Amino acid sequence: MDVLVQLEQRLDSLAPAERKLARAILADPEIVVASTIAELAQRCATSQATVVRFCRAAGFDGYKSFRLAVASARSREAEALSYLRVSDAEIAADDDVPSLVAKVAYQQMRAIEETAQHIDAAALDHVAHALGAAERVDIYGGGSSGLAAADLHQKLTRLDIASSCFVDPHLALTAAGLANKARVAVAFSHSGRTQETVAFLTAAGQHGGTTVAVTNAPSSPVAQAAQILLPTHAREPERRSGAIASRMAQLAVVDYLVVRMLQADVEHLAEPLQRTREAVQALRLDEEFRQ
């Protein structure tokens, strides 16, 4: 896994001083590559002991191995960026349009690739089967995570699986209060710290529903509130107007689930898919009109 994605995922489990150091590194990974442990501690206004504790908390045996991992990640990033003909991944205010497009494309491609490489296959299979067998699926995502929630709802509707997608947390909690063993609750949250999402999963679980979290933070409150975790692996650029990498990672997970459902029960699900396709066909312009 990209060490910087891994670091972002572990933010919630770090002590305050270590979290501050992690955020400084995520904002500018080059400070690790260019610094000794003493120089990094000085730049980040912390102690060398804190840096050592941070490296171990991040899953490394010391600063040397962490520094090598960051350098390796930056090298792979530079190679990928060279293909897109840009020098770095961070979006700058003075980027021209081709550079801007290339950098956004890189962020999206990296999120999909990292998520695909590290998907939990057993958990994905479990969730796909649970969705296929569910009496009803309740889906919630706050803010930009609601886009992935809506996408899953749309796809389940086409497969004739009863589902609801909530944008109002009060309605989501109402549905969660009606959960039972035959229902599944799916929540999307990139940060894993959305209070309403935690409440939704907790309530659904308390009433017997199968609960699923799609989040970029495996140790977060949202992840802990769910019975099944489907982690994404996305690192957002520092300069952004909204979700970029996180949205693409979440949408990829939705596609993995739906395709797995079709693969597991194609005979049953192919018919509603075809019927829904035919249902909207009348809204498409015919060839004669387009000519």
Side-chain angles (χ1 to χ4, degrees), residues 259-289:
V259 173
R260 181 57 175 160
M261 291 170 65
L262 283 166
Q263 185 185 46
D265 195 9
V266 66
E267 290 186 8
H268 178 255
L269 297 177
E271 181 186 358
L273 194 62
Q274 179 61 30
R275 288 174 61 184
T276 53
R277 183 182 293 115
E278 292 171 355
V280 298
Q281 197 63 38
L283 301 179
R284 302 184 188 279
L285 299 175
D286 58 31
E287 290 293 333
E288 181 179 352
F289 181 88

Side-chain angles (χ1 to χ4, degrees), residues 133-145:
E135 172 188 278
R136 184 173 190 84
V137 180
D138 295 316
I139 314 165
Y140 179 72
S144 59
S145 291

Side-chain angles (χ1 to χ4, degrees), residues 12-130:
D12 285 314
S13 64
L14 298 176
E18 296 162 2
R19 192 178 305 125
K20 180 181 177 182
L21 180 58
R23 293 193 186 281
I25 293 169
L26 287 169
D28 183 13
E30 283 301 317
I31 63 173
V32 175
V33 179
S35 304
T36 64
I37 186 171
E39 291 168 340
L40 179 64
Q42 184 176 18
R43 287 187 181 193
C44 297
T46 190
S47 67
Q48 293 185 42
T50 298
V51 175
V52 172
R53 285 196 301 271
F54 159 77
C55 292
R56 291 174 179 165
F60 296 87
D61 57 11
Y63 182 66
K64 182 178 180 180
S65 59
F66 175 71
R67 186 182 183 188
L68 286 172
V70 173
S72 178
R74 296 294 282 174
S75 177
R76 291 193 302 271
E77 182 179 277
E79 184 177 352
L81 288 168
S82 68
Y83 175 77
L84 294 170
R85 300 180 181 178
V86 288
S87 58
D88 65 86
E90 289 301 329
I91 299 168
D94 58 352
D95 280 337
D96 57 22
V97 173
S99 296
L100 174 67
V101 170
K103 289 181 179 183
V104 171
Y106 171 75
Q107 301 287 354
Q108 294 174 329
M109 290 187 296
R110 181 173 64 181
I112 294 172
E113 180 183 8
E114 286 283 341
T115 299
Q117 285 180 349
H118 302 286
I119 196 74
D120 185 333
L124 182 74
D125 199 41
H126 187 175
V127 175
H129 281 83

Side-chain angles (χ1 to χ4, degrees), residues 192-260:
R193 295 188 293 273
T194 310
Q195 182 176 346
E196 296 86 348
T197 309
V198 174
F200 168 71
L201 288 173
T202 301
Q206 287 173 343
H207 289 87
T210 298
T211 55
V212 182
V214 181
T215 179
N216 205 69
S219 60
S220 66
V222 166
Q224 293 171 8
Q227 297 162 4
I228 310 170
L229 172 64
L230 290 176
T232 55
H233 294 76
R235 183 165 63 95
E236 291 286 9
E238 286 296 305
R239 184 185 296 273
R240 63 190 181 101
S241 59
I244 296 177
S246 59
R247 185 185 75 251
M248 297 306 297
Q250 290 175 346
L251 291 173
V253 170
V254 171
D255 287 340
Y256 303 154
L257 284 170
V258 173
V259 173
R260 181 57 175 160

